[in-house]
Amino acid sequence: MSESIQAIKEKLATITSFTDPSLEYLKQDPRKGVQQALNSLAKRLEKEAKVKEKYQEMFIFEKQGYANGHQWIAGIDEVGRGPLAGPVVAAAVVLPKDEEILGLNDSKQLSEKKRELLYQEIQEKALAIGIGIVDEKIIDQVNIYEASKLAMIQAVEKLAVKPTYLLIDAMKLDLPIQQEKLIKGDARSVSIAAASIIAKVYRDRLMEEYDHLYPGYGFGHNAGYGTKEHLIGMEKQGITPIHRRTFAPVKKYL
């Protein structure tokens, strides 16, 4: 009696290579359902191979750092430069050298569900994570560019290990640590991508809490950016303690 197609599908779910010897007899199976299952397997394996290839492409800067003798390499990124309200949040992440976290990419290019899954995996596998938070008062005092740097420095200083090499998204920090500035680094380095995901999810959750404190602006889903709902909220209710007073159009409601 032939093995059921459902049983075959369950077996194929555990296959990691299309050259697996156990597939040979299935390739001869004339049933349409079996051949469709094999086609699905081929597509899955091809997709997984591309994700692994992408990881290796984005691991090149870390690889160079290790080759130059650095043991602790931190990727750094920030989130929240553009919003009208809330802090700027930075993250510094030291990833393991020999364990992949597949799917890492610029947090803006990932769905919310994928970001959350990767956030959890990074939390579980990272060797160290540091978070830096600079609030709206400091942003108004020093400007958003300088506040972003301060948040990044905080994040590095909060790491449980002391990095000797920093990979930073489009910035140079006033720290006595060797560093490399990478334009669009969150899409080019796995460490910076991991930092962008940590910072993004952390800040989004913070803004959801602010949404309960200050309802009517849509902070839970606009993260403080100047959406129509947010602008109407300011017009109707005025500004909150977390608004950035030096940002237009917040200024006109002072």
Side-chain angles (χ1 to χ4, degrees):
M1 185 177 174
S2 297
E3 195 173 9
S4 74
I5 291 172
Q6 183 56 39
I8 289 168
K9 284 181 179 178
E10 287 170 10
K11 277 186 182 176
L12 293 182
T14 65
I15 297 291
T16 58
S17 169
F18 209 70
T19 58
D20 191 303
S22 66
L23 297 179
E24 290 309 311
Y25 80 99
L26 291 176
K27 290 173 184 176
Q28 311 306 319
D29 194 312
R31 287 176 293 173
K32 187 178 178 182
V34 174
Q35 295 309 311
Q36 285 175 340
L38 285 171
N39 283 336
S40 296
L41 171 65
K43 286 176 184 174
R44 172 174 71 79
L45 293 175
E46 184 182 2
K47 187 178 177 183
E48 287 174 1
K50 283 180 180 174
V51 171
K52 287 190 175 189
E53 188 180 331
K54 173 76 171 170
Y55 187 94
Q56 288 304 315
E57 283 174 17
M58 291 177 66
F59 189 61
I60 187 167
F61 299 102
E62 288 79 3
K63 202 171 182 180
Q64 286 170 355
Y66 291 128
N68 291 331
H70 296 286
Q71 185 178 1
W72 308 112
I73 299 171
I76 305 154
D77 199 9
E78 52 70 34
V79 171
R81 281 206 222 180
L84 307 179
V88 60
V89 173
V93 177
V94 179
L95 291 177
K97 183 178 180 179
D98 301 315
E99 189 171 10
E100 295 176 337
I101 300 177
L102 297 176
L104 287 175
N105 203 348
D106 170 10
S107 62
K108 298 183 289 297
Q109 295 185 31
L110 301 169
S111 67
E112 184 180 354
K113 183 182 178 184
K114 184 66 176 169
R115 270 199 309 270
E116 289 283 347
L117 288 170
L118 284 167
Y119 177 89
Q120 191 58 43
E121 190 174 355
I122 296 162
Q123 290 282 353
E124 290 167 3
K125 293 181 178 177
L127 303 177
I129 296 173
I131 301 283
I133 304 169
V134 173
D135 68 19
E136 63 291 331
K137 294 179 184 63
I138 303 295
I139 292 170
D140 287 336
Q141 284 172 23
V142 302
N143 77 46
I144 187 60
Y145 183 76
E146 293 302 322
S148 298
K149 282 187 174 182
L150 290 174
M152 287 180 164
I153 290 168
Q154 268 187 38
V156 173
E157 290 174 343
K158 288 183 180 176
L159 286 168
V161 300
K162 192 168 183 179
T164 58
Y165 191 49
L166 307 178
L167 297 170
I168 312 171
D169 188 25
M171 286 263 202
K172 278 278 189 180
L173 301 180
D174 187 17
L175 287 170
I177 304 172
Q178 190 177 336
Q179 50 197 277
E180 185 167 357
K181 177 174 84 171
L182 298 175
I183 304 302
K184 298 190 183 299
D186 46 11
R188 296 171 63 200
S189 154
V190 288
S191 298
I192 299 176
S196 82
I197 291 164
I198 292 291
K200 169 74 173 156
V201 174
Y202 189 97
R203 189 179 187 279
D204 283 353
R205 290 178 180 179
L206 205 55
M207 294 307 293
E208 284 169 14
E209 290 176 25
Y210 281 131
D211 196 24
H212 296 298
L213 277 174
Y214 309 112
Y217 301 89
F219 291 152
H221 46 267
N222 64 34
Y225 284 87
T227 61
K228 186 177 179 182
E229 179 185 12
H230 188 174
L231 298 177
I232 291 170
M234 285 196 293
E235 195 176 322
K236 286 183 177 178
Q237 301 173 194
I239 62 171
T240 71
I242 67 163
H243 274 97
R244 301 173 181 179
R245 290 164 180 258
T246 53
F247 277 44
V250 178
K251 288 179 185 177
K252 71 179 183 181
Y253 297 106
L254 293 175

